[in-house]
Amino acid sequence: MEAPAVLEELPPGAAPGKGAHELFGYVGIEAVLDQMRVKTMKTGFEFNIMVVGQSGLGKSTMVNTLFKSKVSRKASQPGQEERIPKTVQLQSVTHVIEEKGVKMKLTVTDTPGFGDQINNENCWDPIIKYINEQYERYLREEILITRKRKIPDTRVHGCVYFVPPTGHWLRPLDLEFMRRLSKIVNVVPVIAKADTLTLEERAEFKQRIQQDLKAHAISVYPQEDFDEDPDDRLLNNVIREKIPFAVVGADQEHQVNGRRVLGRKTKWGIIEVENPMHCEFPMLRDLLIRSHLQDLKDITHNVHYESYRVRRLNESNRVALSPANGLPGKDEDDSNL
C-alpha cells in the first residue's frame, strides 16, 4: 500500500522551496493556475489608464497604437471639431476589447485643456479630484454591510504623462504635476513625438529628465520602494534606466520589405513604431500591458488606494469622536481625570 503524502509545517519565516520537503507523488497544486486562467477568461478584467499632456502631443494616437484599436476619445467621437477648452476637462471612454478569448474592460481617460492655457496654475487640481473621486467611489462600495460580489473598479491604474520634446529640461508645470500625482497614482512619463529629436538630443534630454526627477525626489513608476524580490528589482532597474520612454505613435500601416508595419511615413523613410531601433514604444507597451499590468493594479490597490482609505477612515473617526457630536473631546477627558 502506497504511503500517504506528508504535509510538514514550515518554520516561521521560511520561504516555500527552502527547507520544504518534496512530495511523494503528484498532488495537483499547479492546477490552480489553470483554474485562475479559466476564471479570468470567463469574467474578464478591468484596466483604467489616464493620458495627460498638452494638445498636439499624440495622446490619442498613442493609445490607439498601444491597444491596436480605435479606443481613444477622439476615435470614439469622429467628425467632431476639436476645440481647446478653457479649463481642464476629464473625459472617459470605455471599451471591451478581446484577444484570444481574454476580455478586458478598458477605460481611457483623457484630459483636454491641460497645459494649454497662458496661466496653467493649479491645472492639476481637476485631475487629482477625479482620481480621488474614483477611490472614494470604491471605498463607499467596500464599506457597505452588504457588498457586491465584484466591486466595479474605476480607479486609475496608470497615468501616462506626455513630456513635450523640447530637448531642454522639464518645465515647472511638468515637475509640479508629477510631484503631486506620483503620490496618488502610478505615473509613467514619456517623451512624446520623439522622432522630432536626433538620437543624440534624445539621449541628452532623457538624461536631463532623469536628473530633474532625482533632484526633486519624484518617484515615477516602477517605484524602487515597491520592488518585492531581487528578480523584480533587476527587471525594474533596467526599466528605470530607460524612463522616460522616447515614443512615437502611429495607427496606420505601411509596406516595408514585403511586410505590413505600423509607422509614420516621412520623406526620409518610414519610422516603424514597433521597431526598438526607431523608438521605445515597445518598452512602453511591454510595461503597461505585457509585463506590469497586474503590478500596476496591485500597487494601485495596495499602496495608493490603501493610503486614501486610511486617511478617509481616520477623518471619519475624528469627526465621529468630536465634541460637536456629543462625545467628549480630549480636553474634556483630561478634565474628568
Side-chain angles (χ1 to χ4, degrees):
M1 183 175 178
E2 189 175 347
V6 178
L7 300 180
E8 182 171 327
E9 186 176 348
L10 291 175
K18 294 181 181 179
H21 289 272
E22 292 185 5
L23 299 171
F24 296 133
Y26 178 73
V27 176
I29 299 172
E30 63 172 2
V32 70
L33 297 175
D34 292 329
Q35 297 170 33
M36 294 168 66
R37 183 174 179 273
V38 170
K39 187 173 182 179
T40 301
M41 290 183 70
K42 284 182 179 178
T43 60
F45 61 97
E46 297 156 323
F47 185 56
N48 309 316
I49 187 171
M50 175 182 283
V51 289
V52 182
Q54 67 188 57
S55 301
L57 292 181
K59 301 187 296 295
S60 297
T61 304
M62 180 59 61
V63 171
N64 292 340
T65 311
L66 271 173
F67 297 99
K68 293 192 175 181
S69 56
K70 303 289 186 180
V71 295
S72 69
R73 174 181 57 86
K74 288 184 180 179
S76 303
Q77 301 169 349
Q80 287 194 11
E81 185 180 355
E82 183 73 12
R83 291 184 179 180
I84 298 175
K86 294 181 180 180
T87 58
V88 179
Q89 299 176 356
L90 281 83
Q91 300 178 8
S92 298
V93 178
T94 300
H95 300 271
V96 176
I97 57 180
E98 184 174 350
E99 182 181 44
K100 295 184 179 180
V102 180
K103 293 181 180 179
M104 179 170 73
K105 184 180 179 182
L106 173 69
T107 300
V108 180
T109 302
D110 197 359
T111 55
F114 177 86
D116 293 326
Q117 314 304 323
I118 296 175
N119 181 5
N120 290 304
E121 186 178 4
N122 298 329
C123 62
W124 46 77
D125 283 349
I127 298 172
I128 293 175
K129 181 183 176 185
Y130 175 84
I131 292 171
N132 285 332
E133 282 175 349
Q134 308 318 306
Y135 290 150
E136 182 69 23
R137 180 181 296 182
Y138 193 91
L139 177 62
R140 288 184 179 277
E141 290 285 350
E142 196 177 49
I143 62 178
L144 290 175
I145 295 175
T146 306
R147 295 191 295 186
K148 295 178 181 176
R149 191 171 182 181
K150 184 174 172 31
I151 300 175
D153 189 2
T154 59
R155 298 169 297 180
V156 178
H157 301 127
C159 172
V160 181
Y161 184 71
F162 288 70
V163 178
T166 61
H168 302 298
W169 297 87
L170 287 173
R171 303 169 300 170
L173 172 63
D174 302 324
L175 289 169
E176 190 62 24
F177 175 85
M178 286 191 279
R179 185 184 70 82
R180 291 171 181 264
L181 267 291
S182 61
K183 297 175 182 177
I184 62 171
V185 73
N186 299 312
V187 176
V188 180
V190 299
I191 300 173
K193 295 194 171 182
D195 53 321
T196 60
L197 302 171
T198 65
L199 294 178
E200 293 77 14
E201 289 172 338
R202 184 192 300 179
E204 189 175 350
F205 188 34
K206 180 178 291 197
Q207 189 175 9
R208 286 175 176 174
I209 292 175
Q210 291 172 347
Q211 291 172 3
D212 264 344
L213 294 175
K214 188 174 182 180
H216 291 83
I218 297 172
S219 179
V220 297
Y221 184 85
Q223 301 91 334
E224 200 166 349
D225 296 340
F226 305 149
D227 292 341
E228 293 185 349
D229 58 57
D231 291 336
D232 286 347
R233 187 170 292 109
L234 285 174
L235 173 60
N236 290 340
N237 282 339
V238 173
I239 295 171
R240 282 188 280 266
E241 289 175 3
K242 297 290 185 181
I243 281 180
F245 299 124
V247 298
V248 178
D251 48 14
Q252 293 184 353
E253 289 187 334
H254 301 276
Q255 194 82 15
V256 177
N257 298 327
R259 58 190 178 91
R260 305 287 294 177
V261 298
L262 279 172
R264 293 188 64 235
K265 190 173 184 179
T266 69
K267 61 182 180 181
W268 299 282
I270 294 176
I271 302 166
E272 299 178 32
V273 170
E274 296 179 297
N275 187 339
M277 300 297 292
H278 291 192
C279 74
E280 294 173 338
F281 168 80
M283 294 182 185
L284 176 65
R285 178 195 57 203
D286 290 350
L287 177 72
L288 294 178
I289 303 172
R290 300 186 180 181
S291 64
H292 284 66
L293 188 149
Q294 187 58 47
D295 188 59
L296 284 162
K297 297 183 67 172
D298 290 344
I299 289 180
T300 298
H301 181 75
N302 298 326
V303 179
H304 298 305
Y305 168 70
E306 186 65 16
S307 298
Y308 179 86
R309 188 185 72 85
V310 169
R311 177 167 60 83
R312 286 287 289 115
L313 293 179
N314 283 334
E315 289 173 357
S316 299
N317 288 339
R318 280 197 295 270
V319 171
L321 295 173
S322 67
N325 290 331
L327 295 173
K330 185 179 184 304
D331 295 337
E332 292 181 45
D333 285 340
D334 292 343
S335 63
N336 292 330
L337 291 177

